[in-house]
Structure formats: C-alpha cells, structure tokens
C-alpha cells in the first residue's frame, strides 16, 4: 500500500512550483521518517501515474483531496522525477458543446430550481407541476446522462435548473451551463477558485439593456455575475479581503440585490500553534445585482482584539468566527434577511455564533438574534494532540451549516426551522424575535453533524437527514477517516409541534471501503417523496408517509459521460438533489472526512427518457 501525506486547505488556484508544494504539504512525513510514508528516494522508483493514482484513488485520498488537479500532477512529477505521458486537459472539447441556436435564455420557459433551496423560503420542495414527476413515477427513475468534471476528485456544487438548462459549479473553478435534456455545454466560465455555491438566476437592468444573469461565489470570497445566455462576465466583486475567506453558501438574488454569505477556512488554519488565531468575521454582503457595487455589509461579530499569547508566545485574537455557511432566506412580511451562523474560533465567545439572525433587507441592520449554543469557540486544534490554539471554552463545534426554512403553519403562524450540528432541530417564531416554538433532538451531534447541510419541508412536515459521521483519527496525518458503523438515517417531524412521524434507519455500509452510512447531504422533496443522499454513495427516495424506501441508486461506478471525461461516482455529501421539468439532478463525489472521491453530475428521468 502506497501512503504519503500532502494535506492542507486549497485557497485560490494559483499553483506554486513543485518543490514549494512538496515542502509545504509533503516533506514533514516523507522526509521525517514516518514509516507509513515512503521516502522521496523510494517514490522516485515509481511512475508519475502511479503516484497520482495513490492521491486520487488509493490510500492518499484523504490527504490529497484538497489539492487541485494541477497541484497533484506537479507533486507526482516531483516525487517520481518523471513526467506524465499525457497533459491534463480541462477545456471542453468542441464535441461537448451544444449546437448554436441563437436563442436567448428564458428562465420562464420551464420549471426552476435556482439557488440552494429552490425558492426564497429555502424549503427545498418542488410541487408536482414544476417537478414533472409524481410519487408513482419515482421507482422508474433511470440515469439519462452523466457529466464529468475534468481533473476533479469531488463534485460539491449543487445544480440549479432554469429555462431548460442546468447551471453548476465545480471544484476546478469552472461554472457550466448545460442542456437539461442532453448535458451538452451551452457555455463555461473560469472562476478564480473552486465554486461550491449553487447558481442563482435573476433579471437585471431595464428596457433594451435588461438581461438574465447567473450569480455565484468562489473560494477566494469573490462574487460573480455572468450573462446567463452566453456566460460572459458582467462583473465580479471581492466581498472580503481576509486570506481564507470564502463563499460556500449560495448567494441569494432578490429584488435587484444579491445577498452574499461569507465563511472561512480559519477554523482549520487556526489550529497551527504559530498562527495568530483568529480574526475572521462572518458577514452578509448586499450588492447591487446589476453592477456588483456594495450596498451594505453586516458582520455577525464585533472587531477582534488582542487577547493573550499562547504557550509558544503567539498573539491570540478574539472574538472571531460566526461564519455564514448557508444561503440566506427572505422574509418579505418583515422585510428581513434570515441566516444561521457558525461557531466562534477563539475566546471570548460571542452572542451571535450558533444562532438565527435577522437583518433588515434594506440596510443590513440586525433586527434580532437567537443563539442556540453558547460558548462554542472551536478550531481543529481542539481535536488534535497539540491543543495550543484550542480556545479555553473548547466548544463542541455545533455551528449551523443548514439554512433556515421559513414555513407557514396550519394555524396561520409562521416558523423558522433549521437543524444544527448538535443534532437538534429548532423551530422559532420569526414574528416574535425568534421565540422558541419547539426543539427536538434527532441525532447525537458532533463536529460533522448532527444535522449538516439542510432539510426539506412540505406543508406538513420537515424531513431531516442525520449525519453523525464518526471521525477516526489517522496516526500519520491530522486528517480523519469515517467510521463505517456510525451515523445516518432520516426522520420526519410535524412542523407545528416537532412530533416525530417516522424514522428510517440507514441501510449500512457492508464491506464497502471508505464508507460511512451518514446522510450529511441536503434533503429535497416533492409531494409524497423525499430524496436523501448518503456518504455510502447511494441516493435514496423515501415515502413521506412512512419512510419506506421507494427507489435506491448506487452511484459508485464508472460512467461514460456526455462530455467524454472519465467519470466516477463517489460519496454524496453537501448538495442535495435539484428537481424540475421531469428530471432529478445530483452530484456524486465527496472525499472529505473519509468519503469516496468522484467527479460527476448525474441526470435522471422516468425510464431514462
């Protein structure tokens, strides 16, 4: 077994030289006498292809999945001392492009699922007419086409549907506009870094200058608007200058403005004892959707100040953190933007971490906040042997990565519902400053959830998938693998009371490698059916009546893709299914925290037609 270590977070796609990459990410193990990491001399006896295979499909996946395709190839050539026989090609071939028609893109020409939650309420629910699929059709879903992301090890940006097209970002930084019917490429756009956010579609301008734009954000905290018809850049705006700031949650388009949530990678970076932890501040930025100019920016935390020095003499700062990982929800009745926040990174803990927060849509003024877990300051150091930069409060890392869902209850009251990594589902009253309506525990909770990327709600119930990934520390790395026997399941709760209607346990991993039964991915629903993906590689459809599995597709396989890129399925985590126009689209491939790599977007229809 070939094992070596090249870990570390990917920021922007500026590729250092090979020697720098090796020293920064690999030398500590390969030159440090680690018995599980072959020496540089031993690796020079291998081909570049074999070293790359270890990083992409072998024992090295956990450590290498945060390196870009170009970086992995540079490292492989440096370690082996040999070059690849074939160049890496990521530009789509002419054969993958759609025939030119000259027709403008019109989102009104078909059903839509844009942004993260399908609508401004973030309920991840599509009615039968827009879905084009009834509950009785679901057992007949078959693969219609697969699209491959070249050079990528993960497929972690949710698809958006509008006007007969599918819009999707990628780890490699490309954003694609595809034909929903065939998967051919209308256009592609190169962002500066990985695009994890779902694409939102909105109309900007007026009169002869009016057009539809596609909005998204990337791993360098840059927001973009491109022409939805052609992919031409309209504007891009750097919404935060902090070095590891990023846009993970999907920007929300509403009434001519774009609301962009800001998160960061400082929870991981802050684990190093020599790092001045921590100074990132979560925020929402409101931009003019036509120009990209900032209208307001509201932070979820006050300006960090020097606090004390750690045991190796490095200055520490606080408070910090409270990132916004998910897409905002719009409350038109109260003219409010509703978000959930993450944990603090350093002491002192603040009052708006792990919280629901309401902001005025026009000004960004904070209207109210309701914290669900206090004193939650956490960095990755808190789970590592060297806890130098773990805050004294040593919080449980119970942030929200699920967006709030705004629903109307049968009695006319409204509720804001979200699951937390604590394993608790909360329902609060948005008309009474976040007053608690009910709280129900459905999972054990943990640093990977609990409840991770989001739930779905129809008029009666909220459907909550359980993550509860068990993290197994690796003795030769700061990374973790997943426990194949822990996590998973899905539960239905009554919206008005939190009463449990049913629970469906996870089927289990069996003997599959790099497997977890955890159901961390966002949930999606249509009348009678709820879709939930699993780290075990399966997408399953459950009856909303009793939780019975109606359809089960195992994505772990190779695919002949419509763009002729070698395709491989993997774990399902992060994004959920997007449903519309008689089709279901979802990603496969998510090696983080012990999952299986993959690089495909899969499209399903009834009988594959």
């Amino acid at each position: 077994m070939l094992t070596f270590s090249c870990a570390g977070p990917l920021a922007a796609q500026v590729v250092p030289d090979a020697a720098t990459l090796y020293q920064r990410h690999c030398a500590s193990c390969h030159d440090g006498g680690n018995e599980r990491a072959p020496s540089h001399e031993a690796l020079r006896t291998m081909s570049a292809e074999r070293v790359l295979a270890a990083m992409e499909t072998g024992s090295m996946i956990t450590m290498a999945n945060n390196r870009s395709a170009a970086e992995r190839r540079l490292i492989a050539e440096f370690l082996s001392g040999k070059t690849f026989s074939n160049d890496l090609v990521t530009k789509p071939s002419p054969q993958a492009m759609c025939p030119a028609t000259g027709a403008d893109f019109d989102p009104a020409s078909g059903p839509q699922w844009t942004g993260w939650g399908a609508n401004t309420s973030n309920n991840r629910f599509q009615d039968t007419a827009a879905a084009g699929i009834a509950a009785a059709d679901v057992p007949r879903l078959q693969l219609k086409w697969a699209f491959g992301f070249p050079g990528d090890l993960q497929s972690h940006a949710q698809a958006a549907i509008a006007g007969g097209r599918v819009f999707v970002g990628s780890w490699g930084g490309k954003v694609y506009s595809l034909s929903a019917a065939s998967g051919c490429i209308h256009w592609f756009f190169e962002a500066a870094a990985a695009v994890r956010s779902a694409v939102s579609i909105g109309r900007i301008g007026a009169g002869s200058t009016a057009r539809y734009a596609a909005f998204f954000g990337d791993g360098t905290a840059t927001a973009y608007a491109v022409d939805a018809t052609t992919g031409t850049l309209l504007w891009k705006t750097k919404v935060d200058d902090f070095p590891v700031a990023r846009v993970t949650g999907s920007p929300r388009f509403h009434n001519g403005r774009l609301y962009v949530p800001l998160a960061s990678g400082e929870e991981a970076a802050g684990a190093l004892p020599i790092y001045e932890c921590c100074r990132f501040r979560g925020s929402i930025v409101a931009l003019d959707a036509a120009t990209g100019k900032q209208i307001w920016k509201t932070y979820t935390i006050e300006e960090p100040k020097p606090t004390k020095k750690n045991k190796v003499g490095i200055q520490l700062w606080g408070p910090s953190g409270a990132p916004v990982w998910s897409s905002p929800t719009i409350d038109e009745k109260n003219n409010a933007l509703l978000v959930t926040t993450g944990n603090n990174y350093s002491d002192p803990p603040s009052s708006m971490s792990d919280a629901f927060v309401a902001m005025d849509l026009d000004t960004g003024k904070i209207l109210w906040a309701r914290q669900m877990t206090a004193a939650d300051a956490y960095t990755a150091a808190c789970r590592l042997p060297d806890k130098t930069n773990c805050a004294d409060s040593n919080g449980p890392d119970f942030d929200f990565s699920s967006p709030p869902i705004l629903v109307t209850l049968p009695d006319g009251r409204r509720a804001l519902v979200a699951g937390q990594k604590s394993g608790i589902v909360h329902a609060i009253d948005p008309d009474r400053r976040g007053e608690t309506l009910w709280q129900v525990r459905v999972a054990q909770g943990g640093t990977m959830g609990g409840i991770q990327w989001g739930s779905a709600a129809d008029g009666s119930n909220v459907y909550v998938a359980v993550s509860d990934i068990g993290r197994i520390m690796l003795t030769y790395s700061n990374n973790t693998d997943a426990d194949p026997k822990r996590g998973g399941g899905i539960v239905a709760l009554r919206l008005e009371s939190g009463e449990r209607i049913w629970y469906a346990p996870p089927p289990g991993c069996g003997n599959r490698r790099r497997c977890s039964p955890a159901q961390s991915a966002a949930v999606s629903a249509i009348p009678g059916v709820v879709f939930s993906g699993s780290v075990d590689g399966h997408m399953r459809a459950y009856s909303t009546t009793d939780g019975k599995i109606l359809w089960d597709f195992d994505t772990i396989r190779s695919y002949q893709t419509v763009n002729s890129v070698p395709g491989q399925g993997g774990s399902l985590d992060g994004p959920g299914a997007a449903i519309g126009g008689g089709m279901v689209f979802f990603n496969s491939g998510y090696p983080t925290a012990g999952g299986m790599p993959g690089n495909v977007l899969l499209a399903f229809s009834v009988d594959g037609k």
Side-chain angles (χ1 to χ4, degrees):
M1 180 175 69
L2 176 60
T3 303
F4 53 103
S5 180
C6 299
L10 175 66
Q13 292 181 320
V14 178
V15 181
D17 64 80
T20 299
L21 282 168
Y22 177 77
Q23 289 299 322
R24 185 181 298 169
H25 304 296
C26 311
S28 61
C29 287
H30 292 285
D31 294 344
N34 188 316
E35 63 180 17
R36 291 183 61 95
S39 68
H40 194 170
E41 288 305 311
L43 291 166
R44 291 183 73 84
T45 67
M46 304 175 187
S47 67
E49 284 80 5
R50 183 182 175 191
V51 176
L52 183 66
M55 287 191 276
E56 296 187 343
T57 61
S59 57
M60 184 47 197
I61 296 169
T62 299
M63 281 68 72
N65 75 80
N66 278 329
R67 305 270 57 83
S68 70
E71 288 176 326
R72 293 193 303 272
R73 290 173 70 91
L74 278 174
I75 291 169
E77 289 186 333
F78 181 80
L79 288 170
S80 66
K82 305 173 183 69
T83 59
F84 286 95
S85 55
N86 296 309
D87 293 333
L88 173 66
V89 178
T90 62
K91 183 179 179 180
S93 68
Q95 293 75 23
M97 305 303 293
C98 298
T101 64
D104 285 342
F105 164 73
D106 180 9
S109 64
Q112 297 186 38
W113 180 303
T114 66
W116 180 259
N119 48 54
T120 57
S121 297
N122 264 329
N123 64 12
R124 301 191 61 84
F125 176 80
Q126 191 80 290
D127 65 29
T128 301
I133 299 172
D137 298 325
V138 169
R140 294 165 51 202
L141 287 174
Q142 294 183 22
L143 183 67
K144 185 172 185 179
W145 53 260
F147 182 88
F149 300 104
D152 290 358
L153 292 183
Q154 51 192 311
S155 176
H156 65 359
Q158 182 179 279
I161 307 168
R165 295 192 185 187
V166 177
F167 299 83
V168 64
S170 68
W171 177 251
K174 284 187 174 63
V175 176
Y176 300 89
S177 173
L178 310 177
S179 164
S182 69
C184 69
I185 303 170
H186 286 289
W187 54 256
F188 63 93
F189 175 85
E190 294 267 9
V195 175
R196 186 166 184 170
S197 68
V199 175
S200 295
I201 304 295
R203 187 174 176 84
I204 58 174
S208 61
T209 63
R211 68 179 82 191
Y212 286 99
F215 304 97
F216 50 90
D218 74 7
T220 66
T222 300
Y224 299 81
V226 302
D227 187 297
T229 300
T230 65
T232 302
L233 179 66
L234 302 176
W235 55 257
K236 64 178 180 179
T237 300
K238 183 81 167 174
V239 289
D240 200 287
D241 292 325
F242 195 79
V244 289
R246 63 183 65 166
V247 179
T248 296
S250 303
R252 169 69 64 197
F253 175 83
H254 181 68
N255 286 348
R257 292 187 179 183
L258 190 70
Y259 299 93
V260 186
L262 270 299
S264 85
E266 197 177 28
E267 184 176 297
L272 296 174
I274 59 172
Y275 183 87
E276 292 192 12
C277 181
C278 283
R279 284 181 279 186
F280 173 77
R281 305 164 71 195
S283 66
I284 294 287
V285 180
L287 304 176
D288 183 319
T291 65
K293 292 182 178 179
Q294 182 175 309
I295 298 171
W296 55 257
K297 183 173 187 176
T298 297
Y299 290 98
T300 58
I301 202 165
E302 63 188 73
E303 184 79 36
K305 299 178 178 62
T307 54
K308 64 178 183 179
K309 292 187 177 181
N310 68 14
K311 67 181 182 182
V312 296
I314 301 299
Q315 181 66 58
L316 301 180
W317 300 73
S320 61
V324 183
W325 288 106
S326 60
S327 186
T329 296
I330 302 296
D331 179 358
E332 291 187 328
K333 175 183 175 182
N334 292 325
N335 196 47
L337 187 81
L338 306 170
V339 300
T340 51
T341 64
N343 56 280
N344 294 122
Y345 303 151
S346 56
D347 289 328
S350 67
S351 62
M352 287 200 300
S353 61
D354 296 358
F356 292 86
V357 180
M359 303 175 185
D360 185 274
L361 278 169
D362 297 330
T363 66
K365 177 184 176 181
I366 293 176
L367 303 175
W368 54 263
R370 180 69 63 177
Q371 188 174 55
M372 295 303 169
T373 302
D376 186 8
Y378 174 94
T379 67
C382 297
R383 64 173 174 81
L384 299 176
D386 187 344
K387 301 186 185 301
T388 298
N389 270 8
C390 178
D392 292 338
S393 53
N394 192 2
D397 189 24
F398 282 170
D399 47 344
F400 283 95
S401 47
S402 299
I405 301 172
L406 184 61
V407 298
T408 299
L409 303 176
D411 62 4
R413 292 179 302 152
R414 301 192 308 157
L416 199 60
V417 183
Q420 190 181 356
K421 284 168 59 179
S422 62
I424 296 173
V425 183
H426 307 271
I428 64 173
D429 190 333
D431 301 314
R432 295 180 179 270
R433 301 180 63 83
E435 179 181 299
T436 298
L437 298 175
W438 53 260
Q439 295 173 311
V440 174
R441 176 174 293 281
V442 300
Q444 296 178 33
T447 58
M448 301 295 287
I451 303 152
Q452 192 75 347
W453 292 111
S455 307
D458 55 23
S460 302
N461 303 327
V462 58
Y463 304 96
V464 185
V466 174
S467 174
D468 275 349
I469 288 180
R471 304 183 84 163
I472 300 174
M473 291 299 299
L474 302 176
T475 59
Y476 51 91
S477 168
N478 288 341
N479 293 282
T480 60
D481 274 349
D483 186 338
K485 297 181 180 179
R486 180 181 168 188
I490 184 169
V491 62
L493 304 176
R494 196 176 303 281
L495 279 171
E496 57 188 319
S497 64
E499 174 192 358
R500 178 176 291 194
I501 306 301
W502 53 258
Y503 168 73
C509 281
N511 296 320
R512 175 163 281 173
R513 292 180 62 248
R514 291 188 64 85
C515 182
S516 166
Q519 292 171 233
S520 311
V523 176
S524 306
I526 62 174
V529 182
V530 58
F531 292 85
S532 175
S534 173
V535 180
D536 69 8
H538 289 251
M539 175 63 81
R540 298 180 177 94
Y542 299 81
S543 166
T544 58
T545 302
D546 55 13
K548 178 183 177 182
I549 295 176
L550 304 174
W551 177 78
D552 186 338
F553 186 85
D554 185 357
T555 70
I556 308 297
R557 64 180 72 176
S558 298
Y559 295 89
Q560 185 173 2
T561 65
V562 292
N563 56 331
S564 300
V565 169
Q568 177 63 45
S571 293
L572 276 61
D573 200 341
I579 308 163
M583 298 192 69
V584 179
F585 304 90
F586 57 87
N587 313 69
S588 179
Y590 201 98
T592 303
M596 293 167 278
N599 69 327
V600 289
L601 174 69
L602 305 177
F604 292 80
S605 60
V606 177
D607 298 328
K609 297 179 180 178

